Amino acid sequence: MRAVATIAPRRGRNVELLLTALAIGVVILAYVNVSVAETEEIPPDLLGHAGILAGIALAFHLVLRWRASYADPIILPIVVLLNGIGVVVIYRLDIAAGRSFTEGQAVRQLLWTAIGVAIALAVLIALRDHRVLRRYTYTAGAAALVLIALPIFIGYEVNGARIWIRLGSFTFQPAEIAKILLAIFFAGYLVQTRDVLALTGRRFLGITFPRGRDLGPLAIAWVASMLVLAFENDFGTTLMVFGLFVAMLYIATERISWIVLGLSMAAFGAAIVYTTASHVRTRVLCWTDPFSTQGREECGQLVQGIMGLASGGVSGAGLGRGRPWLTPLPESDFIFASIGEELGLVGTMAIILLYAILVERGLRSAIGLRDGFGKLLAAGLSFVIALQVFVVIGGVTRVIPLTGLTLPFLAYGGSSLLTNWTLVALLLRMSDHARRPEPETDPAQMEAPTEMVRTVR
């Protein structure tokens, strides 16, 4: 007789379909709003454009029903909404620049979205168990280091940062791919070594610090991030590499001392680079005093973005009624300022809330997983999104120095979209494992004596 009844958890696929339809409805409303504000007409190709986004979302939803039926039902609607709003804002900037939809950047963003979703679906179908990735821990780490270092040798500089490489007529940021590989490497490495890193050390001022010989991995991550800052002027990747490792170290060991050491090493490294590299001093000037005489000469881009955000006020000028094109790179690095000018504080807070829910769902999956590698990987990928959002919005609002990263799913850029859709596919795969009920054990087998008991008898 069984004492405990098994309750099958709800899969939530119908909820996901309903929320995705709601997200597409919001995007269509925003698209119509932009068109009416600019041309006073409903766009004649509305059904075609809405159909593309709806088709992409529906294809993803059907594959989830087929291959990952227990996946988190909240993640896909949030990502579809963020991606759709990004396309609408880029379309609005296309109109301002006099570009038609077929010749503008919005249609390219839709094309990159379709390719990104195709890659994500391939990952979902091919990767049935995320634990397979643990076999490639050190391969992922080596590949990530190569990708991060690649712009130093074959990259070219854009707006002061050497983070791009060119392949034929295409350009992409290798660091975007490296962030997923780094999360896999850190998760695989820490699940092997966390006992040593968590249990040994010496107590000082109430905090247990690790032994000197255990500091090697943190030192390597610190040196790599400082080299990226010095040679590529890529403050965003520097924060991403070092911040991700320190965050995952803390999750794996639950030791506050790793946070203290990480912040101390970051401050020491930043002080060294500041005294030796002029471009870093310019970044710091733009952060601390952009409205000074020298600041206005060196940091016009940041000043324009801040003025755009300020002119938006609480409720914004309205979609299609602001002038976001006055800020350089309004569709990529400064898309948050473009949104803030037309949707105001309310709109930007809504965007931040969507990101916060997305990160929370990723961390919830990490808690629900039953294997250590999966817990660390899901937490690491969630921190990748959180760190990138913090670094970009913090740079535009002067909380931290400005970086060259882009807002996930919102900003224009092929490499960013492809990587972030792949990251979402991994999170959905792991959430499927976290929410899927364990296979039932036959009670007869549970009550049967073990081989050891049989031997004793």
Side-chain angles (χ1 to χ4, degrees), residues 82 179 240 336 348 351-356 358-359 382-397 399-400 403 405-410 420:
L82 288 171
K179 64 187 184 185
M240 183 71 68
F336 186 76
T348 53
I351 294 293
I352 292 174
L353 182 61
L354 287 174
Y355 281 120
L358 181 60
V359 172
S382 303
F383 268 103
V384 165
I385 298 174
L387 279 172
Q388 191 158 347
V389 171
F390 169 73
V391 165
V392 175
I393 296 179
V396 173
T397 55
V399 175
I400 59 173
T403 70
L405 293 179
T406 55
L407 268 180
F409 304 107
L410 273 177
N420 286 314

PDB file of all heavy atoms in Angstrom, residues 82 179 240 336 348 351-356 358-359 382-397 399-400 403 405-410 420:
ATOM      1  N   LEU A  82      10.060  41.087 -25.426  1.00  0.00           N
ATOM      2  CA  LEU A  82      11.257  41.934 -25.503  1.00  0.00           C
ATOM      3  C   LEU A  82      11.753  42.036 -26.939  1.00  0.00           C
ATOM      4  O   LEU A  82      12.079  43.122 -27.427  1.00  0.00           O
ATOM      5  CB  LEU A  82      12.356  41.354 -24.594  1.00  0.00           C
ATOM      6  CG  LEU A  82      12.143  41.500 -23.081  1.00  0.00           C
ATOM      7  CD1 LEU A  82      13.186  40.688 -22.326  1.00  0.00           C
ATOM      8  CD2 LEU A  82      12.230  42.967 -22.673  1.00  0.00           C
ATOM      9  N   LYS A 179      30.320  34.073 -23.652  1.00  0.00           N
ATOM     10  CA  LYS A 179      29.665  34.141 -22.334  1.00  0.00           C
ATOM     11  C   LYS A 179      28.943  32.830 -22.007  1.00  0.00           C
ATOM     12  O   LYS A 179      28.923  32.414 -20.844  1.00  0.00           O
ATOM     13  CB  LYS A 179      28.707  35.330 -22.276  1.00  0.00           C
ATOM     14  CG  LYS A 179      27.528  35.261 -23.225  1.00  0.00           C
ATOM     15  CD  LYS A 179      26.747  36.568 -23.195  1.00  0.00           C
ATOM     16  CE  LYS A 179      25.499  36.460 -24.074  1.00  0.00           C
ATOM     17  NZ  LYS A 179      24.775  37.735 -24.159  1.00  0.00           N
ATOM     18  N   MET A 240      31.793  41.157 -17.398  1.00  0.00           N
ATOM     19  CA  MET A 240      31.078  39.906 -17.621  1.00  0.00           C
ATOM     20  C   MET A 240      31.915  38.704 -17.169  1.00  0.00           C
ATOM     21  O   MET A 240      31.438  37.832 -16.434  1.00  0.00           O
ATOM     22  CB  MET A 240      30.740  39.782 -19.110  1.00  0.00           C
ATOM     23  CG  MET A 240      29.923  38.566 -19.473  1.00  0.00           C
ATOM     24  SD  MET A 240      28.238  38.698 -18.897  1.00  0.00           S
ATOM     25  CE  MET A 240      27.646  40.017 -19.960  1.00  0.00           C
ATOM     26  N   PHE A 336      18.056  51.750 -24.912  1.00  0.00           N
ATOM     27  CA  PHE A 336      17.353  51.997 -23.648  1.00  0.00           C
ATOM     28  C   PHE A 336      16.986  53.480 -23.528  1.00  0.00           C
ATOM     29  O   PHE A 336      15.896  53.821 -23.055  1.00  0.00           O
ATOM     30  CB  PHE A 336      18.223  51.562 -22.472  1.00  0.00           C
ATOM     31  CG  PHE A 336      17.525  51.641 -21.143  1.00  0.00           C
ATOM     32  CD1 PHE A 336      16.589  50.694 -20.790  1.00  0.00           C
ATOM     33  CD2 PHE A 336      17.799  52.662 -20.246  1.00  0.00           C
ATOM     34  CE1 PHE A 336      15.925  50.757 -19.575  1.00  0.00           C
ATOM     35  CE2 PHE A 336      17.156  52.733 -19.026  1.00  0.00           C
ATOM     36  CZ  PHE A 336      16.214  51.771 -18.686  1.00  0.00           C
ATOM     37  N   THR A 348      10.490  52.217 -19.173  1.00  0.00           N
ATOM     38  CA  THR A 348      11.787  51.628 -18.840  1.00  0.00           C
ATOM     39  C   THR A 348      11.675  50.717 -17.617  1.00  0.00           C
ATOM     40  O   THR A 348      12.324  49.680 -17.551  1.00  0.00           O
ATOM     41  CB  THR A 348      12.828  52.732 -18.577  1.00  0.00           C
ATOM     42  OG1 THR A 348      12.312  53.646 -17.598  1.00  0.00           O
ATOM     43  CG2 THR A 348      13.145  53.493 -19.840  1.00  0.00           C
ATOM     44  N   ILE A 351      10.341  47.452 -18.781  1.00  0.00           N
ATOM     45  CA  ILE A 351      11.394  46.649 -19.434  1.00  0.00           C
ATOM     46  C   ILE A 351      12.282  45.979 -18.378  1.00  0.00           C
ATOM     47  O   ILE A 351      12.594  44.782 -18.458  1.00  0.00           O
ATOM     48  CB  ILE A 351      12.253  47.555 -20.350  1.00  0.00           C
ATOM     49  CG1 ILE A 351      11.410  48.070 -21.518  1.00  0.00           C
ATOM     50  CG2 ILE A 351      13.475  46.807 -20.858  1.00  0.00           C
ATOM     51  CD1 ILE A 351      10.970  47.016 -22.495  1.00  0.00           C
ATOM     52  N   ILE A 352      12.688  46.757 -17.363  1.00  0.00           N
ATOM     53  CA  ILE A 352      13.539  46.197 -16.307  1.00  0.00           C
ATOM     54  C   ILE A 352      12.805  45.091 -15.556  1.00  0.00           C
ATOM     55  O   ILE A 352      13.398  44.055 -15.202  1.00  0.00           O
ATOM     56  CB  ILE A 352      13.983  47.328 -15.344  1.00  0.00           C
ATOM     57  CG1 ILE A 352      14.934  48.277 -16.081  1.00  0.00           C
ATOM     58  CG2 ILE A 352      14.671  46.748 -14.107  1.00  0.00           C
ATOM     59  CD1 ILE A 352      15.305  49.505 -15.270  1.00  0.00           C
ATOM     60  N   LEU A 353      11.498  45.280 -15.337  1.00  0.00           N
ATOM     61  CA  LEU A 353      10.703  44.256 -14.646  1.00  0.00           C
ATOM     62  C   LEU A 353      10.658  42.958 -15.474  1.00  0.00           C
ATOM     63  O   LEU A 353      10.745  41.859 -14.914  1.00  0.00           O
ATOM     64  CB  LEU A 353       9.289  44.782 -14.400  1.00  0.00           C
ATOM     65  CG  LEU A 353       8.352  43.836 -13.631  1.00  0.00           C
ATOM     66  CD1 LEU A 353       8.905  43.549 -12.246  1.00  0.00           C
ATOM     67  CD2 LEU A 353       6.958  44.437 -13.532  1.00  0.00           C
ATOM     68  N   LEU A 354      10.528  43.081 -16.791  1.00  0.00           N
ATOM     69  CA  LEU A 354      10.525  41.882 -17.642  1.00  0.00           C
ATOM     70  C   LEU A 354      11.842  41.128 -17.513  1.00  0.00           C
ATOM     71  O   LEU A 354      11.871  39.890 -17.405  1.00  0.00           O
ATOM     72  CB  LEU A 354      10.288  42.279 -19.101  1.00  0.00           C
ATOM     73  CG  LEU A 354       8.861  42.710 -19.475  1.00  0.00           C
ATOM     74  CD1 LEU A 354       8.821  43.205 -20.909  1.00  0.00           C
ATOM     75  CD2 LEU A 354       7.897  41.540 -19.301  1.00  0.00           C
ATOM     76  N   TYR A 355      12.951  41.868 -17.531  1.00  0.00           N
ATOM     77  CA  TYR A 355      14.260  41.218 -17.355  1.00  0.00           C
ATOM     78  C   TYR A 355      14.359  40.560 -15.972  1.00  0.00           C
ATOM     79  O   TYR A 355      14.904  39.461 -15.829  1.00  0.00           O
ATOM     80  CB  TYR A 355      15.386  42.234 -17.528  1.00  0.00           C
ATOM     81  CG  TYR A 355      15.710  42.571 -18.966  1.00  0.00           C
ATOM     82  CD1 TYR A 355      15.611  43.862 -19.435  1.00  0.00           C
ATOM     83  CD2 TYR A 355      16.114  41.580 -19.861  1.00  0.00           C
ATOM     84  CE1 TYR A 355      15.906  44.183 -20.753  1.00  0.00           C
ATOM     85  CE2 TYR A 355      16.408  41.895 -21.178  1.00  0.00           C
ATOM     86  CZ  TYR A 355      16.308  43.188 -21.616  1.00  0.00           C
ATOM     87  OH  TYR A 355      16.596  43.498 -22.922  1.00  0.00           O
ATOM     88  N   ALA A 356      13.858  41.254 -14.957  1.00  0.00           N
ATOM     89  CA  ALA A 356      13.933  40.695 -13.597  1.00  0.00           C
ATOM     90  C   ALA A 356      13.152  39.391 -13.494  1.00  0.00           C
ATOM     91  O   ALA A 356      13.614  38.420 -12.874  1.00  0.00           O
ATOM     92  CB  ALA A 356      13.384  41.722 -12.589  1.00  0.00           C
ATOM     93  N   LEU A 358      12.516  37.360 -15.980  1.00  0.00           N
ATOM     94  CA  LEU A 358      13.256  36.357 -16.769  1.00  0.00           C
ATOM     95  C   LEU A 358      14.401  35.754 -15.943  1.00  0.00           C
ATOM     96  O   LEU A 358      14.601  34.525 -15.926  1.00  0.00           O
ATOM     97  CB  LEU A 358      13.800  37.018 -18.040  1.00  0.00           C
ATOM     98  CG  LEU A 358      14.581  36.126 -19.005  1.00  0.00           C
ATOM     99  CD1 LEU A 358      13.708  34.976 -19.508  1.00  0.00           C
ATOM    100  CD2 LEU A 358      15.096  36.945 -20.196  1.00  0.00           C
ATOM    101  N   VAL A 359      15.155  36.617 -15.260  1.00  0.00           N
ATOM    102  CA  VAL A 359      16.256  36.125 -14.418  1.00  0.00           C
ATOM    103  C   VAL A 359      15.706  35.282 -13.261  1.00  0.00           C
ATOM    104  O   VAL A 359      16.264  34.224 -12.918  1.00  0.00           O
ATOM    105  CB  VAL A 359      17.079  37.321 -13.883  1.00  0.00           C
ATOM    106  CG1 VAL A 359      18.104  36.851 -12.853  1.00  0.00           C
ATOM    107  CG2 VAL A 359      17.779  38.029 -15.025  1.00  0.00           C
ATOM    108  N   SER A 382      21.593  32.664 -15.907  1.00  0.00           N
ATOM    109  CA  SER A 382      20.706  33.725 -15.413  1.00  0.00           C
ATOM    110  C   SER A 382      21.519  34.961 -15.033  1.00  0.00           C
ATOM    111  O   SER A 382      21.106  36.101 -15.309  1.00  0.00           O
ATOM    112  CB  SER A 382      19.913  33.224 -14.201  1.00  0.00           C
ATOM    113  OG  SER A 382      19.182  32.073 -14.521  1.00  0.00           O
ATOM    114  N   PHE A 383      22.677  34.752 -14.412  1.00  0.00           N
ATOM    115  CA  PHE A 383      23.538  35.888 -14.046  1.00  0.00           C
ATOM    116  C   PHE A 383      24.107  36.570 -15.284  1.00  0.00           C
ATOM    117  O   PHE A 383      24.372  37.777 -15.266  1.00  0.00           O
ATOM    118  CB  PHE A 383      24.664  35.430 -13.125  1.00  0.00           C
ATOM    119  CG  PHE A 383      24.306  35.548 -11.669  1.00  0.00           C
ATOM    120  CD1 PHE A 383      23.957  34.434 -10.946  1.00  0.00           C
ATOM    121  CD2 PHE A 383      24.299  36.777 -11.029  1.00  0.00           C
ATOM    122  CE1 PHE A 383      23.596  34.531  -9.611  1.00  0.00           C
ATOM    123  CE2 PHE A 383      23.944  36.891  -9.703  1.00  0.00           C
ATOM    124  CZ  PHE A 383      23.597  35.766  -8.986  1.00  0.00           C
ATOM    125  N   VAL A 384      24.324  35.797 -16.366  1.00  0.00           N
ATOM    126  CA  VAL A 384      24.789  36.415 -17.610  1.00  0.00           C
ATOM    127  C   VAL A 384      23.785  37.463 -18.078  1.00  0.00           C
ATOM    128  O   VAL A 384      24.151  38.594 -18.430  1.00  0.00           O
ATOM    129  CB  VAL A 384      25.003  35.338 -18.697  1.00  0.00           C
ATOM    130  CG1 VAL A 384      25.123  35.989 -20.076  1.00  0.00           C
ATOM    131  CG2 VAL A 384      26.256  34.529 -18.418  1.00  0.00           C
ATOM    132  N   ILE A 385      22.495  37.093 -18.085  1.00  0.00           N
ATOM    133  CA  ILE A 385      21.461  38.057 -18.486  1.00  0.00           C
ATOM    134  C   ILE A 385      21.429  39.237 -17.520  1.00  0.00           C
ATOM    135  O   ILE A 385      21.411  40.397 -17.924  1.00  0.00           O
ATOM    136  CB  ILE A 385      20.082  37.371 -18.524  1.00  0.00           C
ATOM    137  CG1 ILE A 385      20.077  36.250 -19.571  1.00  0.00           C
ATOM    138  CG2 ILE A 385      18.984  38.390 -18.846  1.00  0.00           C
ATOM    139  CD1 ILE A 385      18.802  35.420 -19.573  1.00  0.00           C
ATOM    140  N   ALA A 386      21.442  38.936 -16.214  1.00  0.00           N
ATOM    141  CA  ALA A 386      21.358  40.010 -15.215  1.00  0.00           C
ATOM    142  C   ALA A 386      22.551  40.955 -15.318  1.00  0.00           C
ATOM    143  O   ALA A 386      22.391  42.190 -15.275  1.00  0.00           O
ATOM    144  CB  ALA A 386      21.280  39.394 -13.814  1.00  0.00           C
ATOM    145  N   LEU A 387      23.756  40.388 -15.457  1.00  0.00           N
ATOM    146  CA  LEU A 387      24.955  41.228 -15.546  1.00  0.00           C
ATOM    147  C   LEU A 387      24.925  42.110 -16.786  1.00  0.00           C
ATOM    148  O   LEU A 387      25.272  43.289 -16.734  1.00  0.00           O
ATOM    149  CB  LEU A 387      26.201  40.333 -15.564  1.00  0.00           C
ATOM    150  CG  LEU A 387      26.697  39.812 -14.214  1.00  0.00           C
ATOM    151  CD1 LEU A 387      27.803  38.790 -14.416  1.00  0.00           C
ATOM    152  CD2 LEU A 387      27.212  40.960 -13.360  1.00  0.00           C
ATOM    153  N   GLN A 388      24.507  41.508 -17.923  1.00  0.00           N
ATOM    154  CA  GLN A 388      24.495  42.276 -19.167  1.00  0.00           C
ATOM    155  C   GLN A 388      23.481  43.424 -19.096  1.00  0.00           C
ATOM    156  O   GLN A 388      23.774  44.535 -19.535  1.00  0.00           O
ATOM    157  CB  GLN A 388      24.177  41.353 -20.343  1.00  0.00           C
ATOM    158  CG  GLN A 388      24.408  42.012 -21.695  1.00  0.00           C
ATOM    159  CD  GLN A 388      24.617  41.015 -22.810  1.00  0.00           C
ATOM    160  OE1 GLN A 388      24.829  39.830 -22.573  1.00  0.00           O
ATOM    161  NE2 GLN A 388      24.563  41.487 -24.037  1.00  0.00           N
ATOM    162  N   VAL A 389      22.318  43.150 -18.537  1.00  0.00           N
ATOM    163  CA  VAL A 389      21.315  44.211 -18.398  1.00  0.00           C
ATOM    164  C   VAL A 389      21.829  45.303 -17.459  1.00  0.00           C
ATOM    165  O   VAL A 389      21.708  46.504 -17.742  1.00  0.00           O
ATOM    166  CB  VAL A 389      19.991  43.620 -17.875  1.00  0.00           C
ATOM    167  CG1 VAL A 389      19.010  44.725 -17.505  1.00  0.00           C
ATOM    168  CG2 VAL A 389      19.368  42.698 -18.922  1.00  0.00           C
ATOM    169  N   PHE A 390      22.438  44.896 -16.339  1.00  0.00           N
ATOM    170  CA  PHE A 390      22.963  45.874 -15.381  1.00  0.00           C
ATOM    171  C   PHE A 390      24.062  46.724 -16.010  1.00  0.00           C
ATOM    172  O   PHE A 390      24.099  47.953 -15.846  1.00  0.00           O
ATOM    173  CB  PHE A 390      23.504  45.159 -14.145  1.00  0.00           C
ATOM    174  CG  PHE A 390      24.295  46.049 -13.233  1.00  0.00           C
ATOM    175  CD1 PHE A 390      23.665  47.004 -12.453  1.00  0.00           C
ATOM    176  CD2 PHE A 390      25.680  45.955 -13.181  1.00  0.00           C
ATOM    177  CE1 PHE A 390      24.398  47.849 -11.623  1.00  0.00           C
ATOM    178  CE2 PHE A 390      26.422  46.794 -12.358  1.00  0.00           C
ATOM    179  CZ  PHE A 390      25.781  47.746 -11.571  1.00  0.00           C
ATOM    180  N   VAL A 391      24.971  46.062 -16.751  1.00  0.00           N
ATOM    181  CA  VAL A 391      26.103  46.780 -17.339  1.00  0.00           C
ATOM    182  C   VAL A 391      25.623  47.785 -18.386  1.00  0.00           C
ATOM    183  O   VAL A 391      26.093  48.925 -18.437  1.00  0.00           O
ATOM    184  CB  VAL A 391      27.083  45.759 -17.971  1.00  0.00           C
ATOM    185  CG1 VAL A 391      28.056  46.455 -18.898  1.00  0.00           C
ATOM    186  CG2 VAL A 391      27.852  45.020 -16.888  1.00  0.00           C
ATOM    187  N   VAL A 392      24.646  47.401 -19.225  1.00  0.00           N
ATOM    188  CA  VAL A 392      24.181  48.294 -20.286  1.00  0.00           C
ATOM    189  C   VAL A 392      23.360  49.449 -19.704  1.00  0.00           C
ATOM    190  O   VAL A 392      23.642  50.625 -19.974  1.00  0.00           O
ATOM    191  CB  VAL A 392      23.340  47.509 -21.314  1.00  0.00           C
ATOM    192  CG1 VAL A 392      22.761  48.463 -22.356  1.00  0.00           C
ATOM    193  CG2 VAL A 392      24.198  46.456 -21.994  1.00  0.00           C
ATOM    194  N   ILE A 393      22.349  49.119 -18.900  1.00  0.00           N
ATOM    195  CA  ILE A 393      21.507  50.186 -18.338  1.00  0.00           C
ATOM    196  C   ILE A 393      22.311  51.042 -17.358  1.00  0.00           C
ATOM    197  O   ILE A 393      22.156  52.265 -17.315  1.00  0.00           O
ATOM    198  CB  ILE A 393      20.270  49.576 -17.659  1.00  0.00           C
ATOM    199  CG1 ILE A 393      19.410  48.860 -18.705  1.00  0.00           C
ATOM    200  CG2 ILE A 393      19.444  50.649 -16.957  1.00  0.00           C
ATOM    201  CD1 ILE A 393      18.166  48.203 -18.144  1.00  0.00           C
ATOM    202  N   GLY A 394      23.201  50.408 -16.589  1.00  0.00           N
ATOM    203  CA  GLY A 394      24.063  51.161 -15.676  1.00  0.00           C
ATOM    204  C   GLY A 394      24.975  52.113 -16.431  1.00  0.00           C
ATOM    205  O   GLY A 394      25.243  53.232 -15.959  1.00  0.00           O
ATOM    206  N   GLY A 395      25.450  51.723 -17.611  1.00  0.00           N
ATOM    207  CA  GLY A 395      26.307  52.604 -18.409  1.00  0.00           C
ATOM    208  C   GLY A 395      25.539  53.779 -18.968  1.00  0.00           C
ATOM    209  O   GLY A 395      26.018  54.925 -18.948  1.00  0.00           O
ATOM    210  N   VAL A 396      24.333  53.544 -19.468  1.00  0.00           N
ATOM    211  CA  VAL A 396      23.534  54.625 -20.063  1.00  0.00           C
ATOM    212  C   VAL A 396      23.073  55.619 -19.000  1.00  0.00           C
ATOM    213  O   VAL A 396      22.959  56.824 -19.266  1.00  0.00           O
ATOM    214  CB  VAL A 396      22.314  54.025 -20.801  1.00  0.00           C
ATOM    215  CG1 VAL A 396      21.377  55.120 -21.290  1.00  0.00           C
ATOM    216  CG2 VAL A 396      22.784  53.180 -21.981  1.00  0.00           C
ATOM    217  N   THR A 397      22.822  55.124 -17.782  1.00  0.00           N
ATOM    218  CA  THR A 397      22.330  56.008 -16.716  1.00  0.00           C
ATOM    219  C   THR A 397      23.446  56.497 -15.776  1.00  0.00           C
ATOM    220  O   THR A 397      23.162  57.086 -14.745  1.00  0.00           O
ATOM    221  CB  THR A 397      21.268  55.269 -15.880  1.00  0.00           C
ATOM    222  OG1 THR A 397      21.821  54.042 -15.401  1.00  0.00           O
ATOM    223  CG2 THR A 397      20.039  54.962 -16.710  1.00  0.00           C
ATOM    224  N   VAL A 399      25.435  54.846 -13.785  1.00  0.00           N
ATOM    225  CA  VAL A 399      25.696  54.125 -12.534  1.00  0.00           C
ATOM    226  C   VAL A 399      27.106  53.551 -12.555  1.00  0.00           C
ATOM    227  O   VAL A 399      27.800  53.503 -11.531  1.00  0.00           O
ATOM    228  CB  VAL A 399      24.654  52.995 -12.341  1.00  0.00           C
ATOM    229  CG1 VAL A 399      24.971  52.144 -11.121  1.00  0.00           C
ATOM    230  CG2 VAL A 399      23.262  53.596 -12.213  1.00  0.00           C
ATOM    231  N   ILE A 400      27.542  53.106 -13.745  1.00  0.00           N
ATOM    232  CA  ILE A 400      28.899  52.609 -13.960  1.00  0.00           C
ATOM    233  C   ILE A 400      29.398  53.201 -15.280  1.00  0.00           C
ATOM    234  O   ILE A 400      28.604  53.766 -16.042  1.00  0.00           O
ATOM    235  CB  ILE A 400      28.930  51.066 -14.028  1.00  0.00           C
ATOM    236  CG1 ILE A 400      28.032  50.573 -15.165  1.00  0.00           C
ATOM    237  CG2 ILE A 400      28.516  50.442 -12.705  1.00  0.00           C
ATOM    238  CD1 ILE A 400      28.136  49.089 -15.415  1.00  0.00           C
ATOM    239  N   THR A 403      29.740  50.964 -21.497  1.00  0.00           N
ATOM    240  CA  THR A 403      30.362  49.788 -22.112  1.00  0.00           C
ATOM    241  C   THR A 403      29.890  49.651 -23.551  1.00  0.00           C
ATOM    242  O   THR A 403      29.069  50.406 -24.030  1.00  0.00           O
ATOM    243  CB  THR A 403      29.981  48.515 -21.348  1.00  0.00           C
ATOM    244  OG1 THR A 403      28.594  48.254 -21.570  1.00  0.00           O
ATOM    245  CG2 THR A 403      30.244  48.662 -19.859  1.00  0.00           C
ATOM    246  N   LEU A 405      28.427  46.758 -24.648  1.00  0.00           N
ATOM    247  CA  LEU A 405      27.474  45.651 -24.735  1.00  0.00           C
ATOM    248  C   LEU A 405      26.091  46.162 -25.159  1.00  0.00           C
ATOM    249  O   LEU A 405      25.828  47.358 -25.140  1.00  0.00           O
ATOM    250  CB  LEU A 405      27.373  44.941 -23.383  1.00  0.00           C
ATOM    251  CG  LEU A 405      28.631  44.196 -22.912  1.00  0.00           C
ATOM    252  CD1 LEU A 405      28.389  43.566 -21.558  1.00  0.00           C
ATOM    253  CD2 LEU A 405      29.047  43.125 -23.918  1.00  0.00           C
ATOM    254  N   THR A 406      25.227  45.208 -25.517  1.00  0.00           N
ATOM    255  CA  THR A 406      23.882  45.569 -25.964  1.00  0.00           C
ATOM    256  C   THR A 406      22.838  44.889 -25.084  1.00  0.00           C
ATOM    257  O   THR A 406      23.093  43.825 -24.507  1.00  0.00           O
ATOM    258  CB  THR A 406      23.656  45.136 -27.417  1.00  0.00           C
ATOM    259  OG1 THR A 406      23.933  43.732 -27.531  1.00  0.00           O
ATOM    260  CG2 THR A 406      24.556  45.903 -28.360  1.00  0.00           C
ATOM    261  N   LEU A 407      21.652  45.497 -25.000  1.00  0.00           N
ATOM    262  CA  LEU A 407      20.574  44.921 -24.200  1.00  0.00           C
ATOM    263  C   LEU A 407      20.073  43.631 -24.856  1.00  0.00           C
ATOM    264  O   LEU A 407      19.704  43.647 -26.040  1.00  0.00           O
ATOM    265  CB  LEU A 407      19.424  45.909 -24.088  1.00  0.00           C
ATOM    266  CG  LEU A 407      19.421  46.847 -22.884  1.00  0.00           C
ATOM    267  CD1 LEU A 407      18.215  47.756 -22.941  1.00  0.00           C
ATOM    268  CD2 LEU A 407      19.452  46.076 -21.585  1.00  0.00           C
ATOM    269  N   PRO A 408      20.009  42.519 -24.125  1.00  0.00           N
ATOM    270  CA  PRO A 408      19.555  41.252 -24.720  1.00  0.00           C
ATOM    271  C   PRO A 408      18.162  41.369 -25.320  1.00  0.00           C
ATOM    272  O   PRO A 408      17.248  41.899 -24.688  1.00  0.00           O
ATOM    273  CB  PRO A 408      19.572  40.284 -23.530  1.00  0.00           C
ATOM    274  CG  PRO A 408      20.516  40.874 -22.548  1.00  0.00           C
ATOM    275  CD  PRO A 408      20.397  42.359 -22.721  1.00  0.00           C
ATOM    276  N   PHE A 409      18.011  40.895 -26.563  1.00  0.00           N
ATOM    277  CA  PHE A 409      16.744  40.795 -27.311  1.00  0.00           C
ATOM    278  C   PHE A 409      16.207  42.142 -27.791  1.00  0.00           C
ATOM    279  O   PHE A 409      15.444  42.188 -28.731  1.00  0.00           O
ATOM    280  CB  PHE A 409      15.647  40.102 -26.495  1.00  0.00           C
ATOM    281  CG  PHE A 409      16.046  38.743 -26.012  1.00  0.00           C
ATOM    282  CD1 PHE A 409      16.334  38.519 -24.674  1.00  0.00           C
ATOM    283  CD2 PHE A 409      16.181  37.689 -26.889  1.00  0.00           C
ATOM    284  CE1 PHE A 409      16.731  37.274 -24.227  1.00  0.00           C
ATOM    285  CE2 PHE A 409      16.570  36.437 -26.453  1.00  0.00           C
ATOM    286  CZ  PHE A 409      16.842  36.229 -25.123  1.00  0.00           C
ATOM    287  N   LEU A 410      16.590  43.247 -27.164  1.00  0.00           N
ATOM    288  CA  LEU A 410      16.046  44.541 -27.553  1.00  0.00           C
ATOM    289  C   LEU A 410      16.903  45.231 -28.611  1.00  0.00           C
ATOM    290  O   LEU A 410      16.380  45.750 -29.597  1.00  0.00           O
ATOM    291  CB  LEU A 410      15.951  45.457 -26.327  1.00  0.00           C
ATOM    292  CG  LEU A 410      14.689  45.388 -25.468  1.00  0.00           C
ATOM    293  CD1 LEU A 410      14.814  46.316 -24.280  1.00  0.00           C
ATOM    294  CD2 LEU A 410      13.462  45.766 -26.276  1.00  0.00           C
ATOM    295  N   ASN A 420      21.698  34.996 -27.485  1.00  0.00           N
ATOM    296  CA  ASN A 420      20.711  35.053 -26.404  1.00  0.00           C
ATOM    297  C   ASN A 420      19.554  34.072 -26.621  1.00  0.00           C
ATOM    298  O   ASN A 420      19.018  33.533 -25.655  1.00  0.00           O
ATOM    299  CB  ASN A 420      20.190  36.482 -26.263  1.00  0.00           C
ATOM    300  CG  ASN A 420      21.217  37.399 -25.625  1.00  0.00           C
ATOM    301  OD1 ASN A 420      21.831  37.040 -24.630  1.00  0.00           O
ATOM    302  ND2 ASN A 420      21.438  38.559 -26.206  1.00  0.00           N
TER     303      ASN A 420
END
